[in-house]
Amino acid sequence: MPTVFGVNPTILAYAWGDRPCLHRRPSMTSIALDRVLADLGQPIPDRPEYRCTEPLDLFTRPDGEELSTQVAPGRQLWFRQLSADLAAGLDTGAGANSGANLEANSGANGDFNQGAIEVVLCEDDYAAWLPLAALAHLAPAIGPYRAPIVSRSAIVDRIPQAIAFAQAAMAVPHCYLWGGTIAPDYDCSGLIQAAFMSVGVWLPRNSYQQQEFTEPVELENLQPGDLLFFGMPAKTNHVALYLGKTIGQHCYLHSSGYEQGRGRIAVDFLSDQGDRVAQAYFSQYKGAGRIHSSYQPSLKG
């Protein structure tokens, strides 16, 4: 299957919610813990990359208590470090066979009883924790990730399709999911990242990272496809996709949570005259940003 805007078609399928039929048993090429240890002994620029063969959940902490992001099959990652409990288990394990013993006792996919591995996603430099048993759903990458180079003029041409992606995501049954980046359930920045990824433009993962990545733009100069940022004075914590003006008011599409938002994807006005949701976000508006390029990873040097 050919790529679209240079994006792996399997990643696109998961972004659109059109998930291919994948085997649910561990791959015969699953990664052994001993291989992880060997990788960690190499300088970061030389560490091998792996591709995901199944959709994976990554977590904020090694104990797996909070979803951080999701990874579609076809994306690539590299190993950064072991969790403290996993490293301690290896230190007290049965010598050279300790890695094998830990893997044999690791249980089902997602079990954190034996610790976790911090991984870095190649496309956006995002770091999060992978449960040990999820190594069964990784395979060696065919080659190192090569970030696309996309000009501002090319991005402008693709913005209508990115907006269409977000509108299509709004039209199917879904709900807000903290950490969600795979259809149908997204968080705010996950939806924005997925919409632009669908047209071959990678953005950083979180809303504050996306704000830092974009070029500031004044409210009166907004264009469809710009990003709107919201939050507290100390930190941005929400992002939306600007659609343009409707009946003279700026409107935007976003996936908002349950406490302040709608618990789903919706369109709201940037105004203090709307309902409680629109008013709440208007009071927290921090500025807007324009996307001028596709993200270029830097953590591996």
Side-chain angles (χ1 to χ4, degrees):
M1 179 178 178
T3 59
V4 178
F5 296 116
V7 181
N8 183 305
T10 305
I11 301 176
L12 278 177
Y14 273 79
W16 280 100
D18 182 19
R19 304 184 179 189
C21 180
L22 297 174
H23 295 295
R24 294 298 172 184
R25 62 179 181 275
S27 167
M28 295 301 291
T29 58
S30 60
I31 306 304
L33 184 56
D34 288 343
R35 187 165 185 170
V36 177
L37 298 177
D39 287 2
L40 294 177
Q42 299 186 49
I44 286 177
D46 298 332
R47 291 184 186 177
E49 296 177 9
Y50 299 89
R51 62 178 174 84
C52 301
T53 61
E54 297 278 350
L56 297 176
D57 290 342
L58 302 184
F59 297 86
T60 303
R61 301 191 303 270
D63 60 11
E65 286 298 311
E66 181 179 88
L67 182 67
S68 182
T69 196
Q70 297 174 308
V71 189
R75 289 194 65 178
Q76 294 186 198
L77 56 80
W78 51 276
F79 302 128
R80 192 178 201 180
Q81 64 177 330
L82 303 180
S83 62
D85 54 344
L86 178 54
L90 290 171
D91 289 341
T92 60
N97 293 321
S98 59
N101 291 338
L102 279 171
E103 287 184 293
N105 295 322
S106 62
N109 183 32
D111 184 0
F112 281 84
N113 291 336
Q114 302 294 336
I117 303 164
E118 188 182 34
V119 299
V120 177
L121 298 173
C122 294
E123 299 85 359
D124 56 9
D125 276 340
Y126 193 73
W129 293 93
L130 176 80
L132 177 62
L135 289 174
H137 302 302
L138 300 179
I142 296 173
Y145 172 70
R146 302 299 183 193
I149 305 296
V150 187
S151 67
R152 172 59 188 171
S153 60
I155 291 171
V156 170
D157 291 340
R158 301 177 192 183
I159 281 174
Q161 290 162 280
I163 291 175
F165 176 99
Q167 292 171 328
M170 181 172 61
V172 301
H174 68 278
C175 62
Y176 177 86
L177 175 65
W178 177 274
T181 63
I182 296 176
D185 304 325
Y186 295 99
D187 65 14
C188 64
S189 55
L191 174 64
I192 300 302
Q193 187 185 56
F196 281 92
M197 179 277 296
S198 74
V199 297
V201 178
W202 280 99
L203 301 179
R205 172 63 181 92
N206 290 334
S207 58
Y208 70 91
Q209 296 170 328
Q210 292 173 359
Q211 184 176 29
E212 292 172 354
F213 180 70
T214 55
E215 181 177 297
V217 58
E218 296 299 322
L219 189 64
E220 60 269 21
N221 296 324
L222 284 174
Q223 298 175 8
D226 289 340
L227 305 184
L228 307 183
F229 300 101
F230 307 83
M232 300 297 108
K235 187 176 182 180
T236 293
N237 59 22
H238 190 67
V239 60
L241 180 62
Y242 182 67
L243 301 178
K245 280 190 174 183
T246 299
I247 57 175
Q249 295 193 70
H250 298 290
C251 64
Y252 59 89
L253 183 151
H254 62 146
S255 181
S256 57
Y258 298 93
E259 183 175 347
Q260 176 174 295
R262 304 187 186 280
R264 57 182 171 83
I265 302 171
V267 174
D268 282 300
F269 290 111
L270 188 63
S271 169
D272 62 355
Q273 302 300 312
D275 62 12
R276 65 166 188 87
V277 173
Q279 291 180 29
Y281 280 109
F282 180 77
S283 70
Q284 296 172 9
Y285 177 68
K286 298 189 68 174
R290 183 161 297 158
I291 301 167
H292 279 268
S293 62
S294 185
Y295 182 76
Q296 301 297 303
S298 61
L299 287 184
K300 284 192 78 175

